[in-house]
Amino acid sequence: MDAIMNFLNDHFMPFAGRLAEQRHLKALREGIVAIMPLLLVGSLFLIIADPPIEALDAAVAPFSGELSKVSNATFGILALVASFSVAYSLSNSYKLDSLASGIISVSAFLLSMPATDNGNIPAEWLGSKGLFVAMIIAILAVEIQRFFMEKNIFIKMPAEVPPFVARSFAALLPGFVALLLVWIVNIVLLTTTKLTLPEAINIVLGIPIMNLGSSLPATLIAIVVIQLLWCVGIQGADIVAVFLGPVWLSLSEQNAVAKVAGEMLPNIITNQFIYVFVFVGGAGATFALALLLLNAKSSQLKAIGKVGIWPTMFNINEPITFGMPIIMNPVMFIPFILAPLAAAVTTYAAMATNLVARPYAIVPWTTPVFISGFLTTGDWKAVILQLVNIIIAAIIYYPFLKMWDKMKLEEETKQVTEVNI
């Protein structure tokens, strides 16, 4: 155990910490998180438009078309909003004019889009299809702006000019160069490859990453990384979400669009797959552990169970992960990693065989266990699936918890003995 802890402290934690604070990755993470309220609103209207309770279908049917417009206006502009939010976040970290950065990024993103014969921008590129393009262009636009500001290459206005006017003129040159660069690259690509910039980015990066992120093996690896980071006290989901969060959200958006269109849902692995079915009770699938703690012999662990059971129902498990603790505790590392892996395999199998419907609506991550499964799929069997995942997790946690419970009980007994002496 000492060897494991030394390795984690000396090698894993420093690397993970630097990765978590990397400027561009942090901007991507914050930019994607900024989109979530929009997607939650869209999901709410999607659930209302296609209610999970069949008895309500007839009442909602006359309004389903109008309700679906809200879903299209939220999920359908995923990339457009990301082009602004990512640029805004990155620019803010550089202490640049964040508003100007966001506007330049949106303009460059729209300029890059492949146009139809009548000059319109295809709506599909404003949604998940254009998400990777939006993130890359946002970073490019801000880095161009930063270069100009650091080299003092911008239009300077007299001191008497109001600051908001001066900022507008300061953004002219970097904005012009960013748009010019996107325009030239687009023309070169169209001339040489018959592809626009977004199409080229999607072929080189977008499609391979989407295919990888939607596969079970890649998802299992991502879960292991998330859990390992949590084992040393780092919010693993935040770091992994930088790389796979956009993929999972894109896959969720594709399912939502298919649901509105009345088509078969194409994706099993989505944002909801991870946060509703795999991490039941939070990272490590700790709702099951909270239930087991209620029967612990150690008074400390039983108290943690009583305190932690209610938050874990809402996927908040810090009282358990820090209270037991699980973090920096090699005894609990193995079940903490294995439990969500087992839940992922079980959930994938249930949805691949159509025993349980695939998720289409995004729900807040604090939605209570069981309610979340029902709302995100509209299928009552999703509740049974969550229950099965909890039981499997409990079986995995049980022998390790018994070991830790015994150690804590001996420690408490020894303390009482010493006090009496």
Side-chain angles (χ1 to χ4, degrees), residues 299-378:
S299 57
Q300 177 188 338
L301 294 183
K302 181 174 285 190
I304 290 169
K306 291 178 180 179
V307 172
I309 185 65
W310 300 110
T312 55
M313 289 186 66
F314 299 89
N315 300 312
I316 300 169
N317 64 354
E318 278 77 3
I320 290 176
T321 54
F322 288 94
M324 282 188 63
I326 292 175
I327 292 169
M328 306 302 286
N329 180 1
V331 173
M332 299 303 297
F333 283 0
I334 293 176
F336 192 62
I337 294 171
L338 288 183
L341 287 177
V345 172
T346 303
T347 303
Y348 191 92
M351 293 182 178
T353 55
N354 295 318
L355 290 175
V356 176
R358 300 176 184 186
Y360 63 88
I362 295 177
V363 296
W365 65 273
T366 52
T367 304
V369 176
F370 303 128
I371 295 175
S372 59
F374 179 64
L375 289 179
T376 195
T377 61

Side-chain angles (χ1 to χ4, degrees), residues 110-339:
L110 293 174
L111 177 62
S112 73
M113 292 292 101
T116 60
D117 293 337
N118 56 7
N120 294 328
I121 297 173
E124 61 182 359
W125 283 101
L126 303 182
S128 62
K129 189 174 182 179
L131 187 57
F132 286 98
V133 181
M135 294 189 297
I136 291 172
I137 288 180
I139 292 174
L140 174 67
V142 173
E143 289 300 331
I144 290 174
Q145 185 183 12
R146 180 175 71 91
F147 174 81
F148 275 77
M149 294 298 106
E150 287 183 350
K151 302 298 182 182
N152 286 317
I153 308 173
F154 59 91
I155 299 174
K156 300 179 179 66
M157 303 300 290
E160 297 79 14
V161 175
F164 69 91
V165 176
R167 287 197 300 269
S168 298
F169 277 89
L172 279 176
L173 284 178
F176 173 78
V177 171
L179 293 174
L180 179 64
L181 180 61
V182 170
W183 180 67
I184 291 174
V185 171
N186 236 350
I187 290 177
V188 171
L189 285 172
L190 278 170
T191 304
T192 57
T193 65
K194 305 301 181 184
L195 296 172
T196 61
L197 179 58
E199 290 168 335
I201 290 175
N202 263 13
I203 289 174
V204 175
L205 290 177
I207 294 175
I209 292 175
M210 289 289 285
N211 290 338
L212 180 65
S214 62
S215 69
L216 181 60
T219 303
L220 295 178
I221 292 172
I223 291 169
V224 170
V225 173
I226 289 172
Q227 297 308 110
L228 283 174
L229 289 168
W230 262 115
C231 286
V232 294
I234 296 174
Q235 232 295 7
D238 282 353
I239 295 178
V240 172
V242 172
F243 304 97
L244 289 177
V247 174
W248 293 334
L249 281 177
S250 295
L251 297 171
S252 297
E253 190 261 357
Q254 291 173 13
N255 278 9
V257 170
K259 186 68 175 179
V260 171
E263 301 170 353
M264 181 180 176
L265 306 190
N267 305 308
I268 295 175
I269 294 175
T270 60
N271 191 71
Q272 305 95 302
F273 177 93
I274 300 296
Y275 296 106
V276 173
F277 295 100
V278 174
F279 293 146
V280 182
T286 49
F287 184 71
L289 180 59
L291 292 172
L292 292 175
L293 284 170
L294 295 176
N295 292 315
K297 294 181 179 180
S298 162
S299 57
Q300 177 188 338
L301 294 183
K302 181 174 285 190
I304 290 169
K306 291 178 180 179
V307 172
I309 185 65
W310 300 110
T312 55
M313 289 186 66
F314 299 89
N315 300 312
I316 300 169
N317 64 354
E318 278 77 3
I320 290 176
T321 54
F322 288 94
M324 282 188 63
I326 292 175
I327 292 169
M328 306 302 286
N329 180 1
V331 173
M332 299 303 297
F333 283 0
I334 293 176
F336 192 62
I337 294 171
L338 288 183

Side-chain angles (χ1 to χ4, degrees), residues 72-90:
N72 293 332
T74 50
F75 284 99
I77 58 170
L78 183 67
L80 182 64
V81 176
S83 68
F84 181 90
S85 60
V86 172
Y88 187 94
S89 177
L90 181 58

